[in-house]
């Protein structure tokens, strides 16, 4: 798999450095600046979860695409929560891999400028930082794009399709379940530690931000 990916990316015009174990990969990723990292989970010496956790602890913000056979929701949530930008499960097609890499490496789409506020949440769009109730919330790139998309239409339902296009672009290949995992990951950081729930689900339609609990029929948490 490593050799196939290296050859495919090289033929696609990428400059590629590879490592066959977690420790070596961590050393390379810490020493050089990359546009993106493709990271497997089942690595010898140091697994992919440990690699990404240590990278983020070292303030390395390089976009990370996890590629793995582990497709359980808990595994996906763990990877995203540790700081991965996207998650691709095996088997996959090479064109899909390229699209995912393009998605996590392109600049933030139509990013607003200045500050955004809703309830006790403030987003600094210049620093790309999110604060709730005076507490900084550390988000992955996709979690950030998700909360920005929701805040742009705070109080209104944002459809699942609109959210996926805001996060992954119009030509995305992300599945609906990937959005659900991302929403759950954002809720764990933005909602769970606080008394007031902000992210609500409109069954069969999408999600929206609301800073009070008296929600209407058809809306669930």
């Amino acid at each position: 798999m490593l050799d196939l990916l290296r050859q495919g990316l090289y033929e696609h015009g990428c400059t590629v450095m590879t490592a066959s174990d977690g420790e070596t990969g961590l050393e390379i990723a810490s020493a050089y600046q990359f546009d993106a990292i493709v990271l497997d989970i089942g690595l010898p010496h140091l697994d992919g979860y440990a690699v990404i956790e240590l990278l983020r602890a070292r303030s390395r913000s390089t976009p990370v695409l996890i590629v793995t056979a582990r497709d359980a929701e808990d595994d996906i949530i763990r990877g995203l929560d540790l700081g991965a930008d996207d998650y691709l499960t095996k088997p996959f097609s090479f064109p899909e891999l390229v699209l995912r890499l393009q998605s996590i490496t392109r600049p933030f789409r139509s990013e607003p400028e200045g500050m955004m506020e809703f309830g006790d949440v403030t987003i600094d769009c210049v620093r790309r930082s999110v604060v709730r109730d005076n507490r900084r919330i550390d988000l992955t790139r996709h979690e950030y794009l998700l909360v920005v998309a929701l805040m742009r239409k705070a109080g209104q339902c944002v459809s699942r399709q609109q959210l996926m296009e805001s996060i992954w672009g119009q030509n995305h290949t992300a599945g609906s379940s990937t959005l659900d995992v991302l929403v759950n990951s954002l809720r764990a950081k933005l909602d769970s530690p606080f008394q007031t729930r902000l992210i609500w689900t409109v069954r069969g339609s999408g999600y929206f931000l609301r800073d009070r609990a008296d929600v209407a029929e058809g809306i669930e948490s």
Side-chain angles (χ1 to χ4, degrees):
M1 175 64 74
L2 180 65
D3 290 338
L4 288 172
L5 287 180
R6 174 172 50 198
Q7 183 63 28
L9 290 170
Y10 176 78
E11 292 176 356
H12 195 72
C14 300
T15 301
V16 183
M17 294 182 68
T18 62
S20 57
D21 66 84
E23 289 183 352
T24 304
L26 179 62
E27 292 177 3
I28 294 175
S30 300
Y32 298 92
Q33 183 64 48
F34 294 97
D35 294 316
I37 295 171
V38 179
L39 180 66
D40 204 339
I41 296 300
L43 297 172
H45 306 313
L46 199 65
D47 70 17
Y49 292 130
V51 170
I52 190 170
E53 185 173 18
L54 289 169
L55 279 175
R56 297 310 187 222
R58 297 176 183 180
S59 299
R60 305 296 289 187
S61 59
T62 308
V64 174
L65 171 63
I66 290 180
V67 174
T68 179
R70 302 184 187 184
D71 59 356
E73 182 174 297
D74 288 345
D75 292 322
I76 297 174
I77 291 174
R78 183 182 178 189
L80 295 173
D81 193 51
L82 287 173
D85 295 271
D86 203 354
Y87 201 107
L88 183 60
T89 56
K90 304 173 185 176
F92 58 88
S93 68
F94 187 76
E96 181 178 9
L97 174 76
V98 171
L99 284 175
R100 297 291 186 98
L101 286 174
Q102 290 174 343
S103 175
I104 66 174
T105 55
R106 69 165 57 98
F108 281 55
R109 284 166 290 278
S110 302
E111 185 180 347
E113 298 179 356
M115 308 290 290
M116 301 177 71
E117 295 184 357
F118 179 77
D120 57 356
V121 177
T122 300
I123 298 178
D124 184 332
C125 299
V126 175
R127 295 182 175 85
R128 295 171 185 161
S129 64
V130 179
V131 174
R132 180 171 187 190
D133 194 21
N134 297 317
R135 291 169 55 183
R136 181 183 174 91
I137 311 296
D138 292 323
L139 301 179
T140 66
R141 177 179 180 276
H142 285 160
E143 290 166 350
Y144 174 84
L145 289 173
L146 173 58
V147 73
V148 166
L150 290 170
M151 189 171 283
R152 278 174 157 171
K153 296 186 176 181
Q156 305 177 44
C157 177
V158 187
S159 72
R160 301 175 67 86
Q161 184 63 30
Q162 287 175 322
L163 289 173
M164 287 190 287
E165 289 181 1
S166 295
I167 297 165
W168 291 288
Q170 291 186 344
N171 297 320
H172 69 86
T173 58
S176 183
S177 60
T178 304
L179 176 63
D180 293 334
V181 170
L182 188 63
V183 170
N184 289 336
S185 178
L186 179 60
R187 278 175 167 160
K189 297 178 180 181
L190 196 65
D191 273 355
S192 296
F194 303 92
Q195 292 184 347
T196 304
R197 182 182 299 277
L198 291 179
I199 303 172
W200 296 86
T201 304
V202 182
R203 288 191 295 269
S205 298
Y207 299 92
F208 75 110
L209 290 185
R210 187 167 184 168
D211 60 354
R212 59 183 185 273
D214 54 327
V215 296
E217 184 179 356
I219 299 173
E220 58 187 17
S221 60

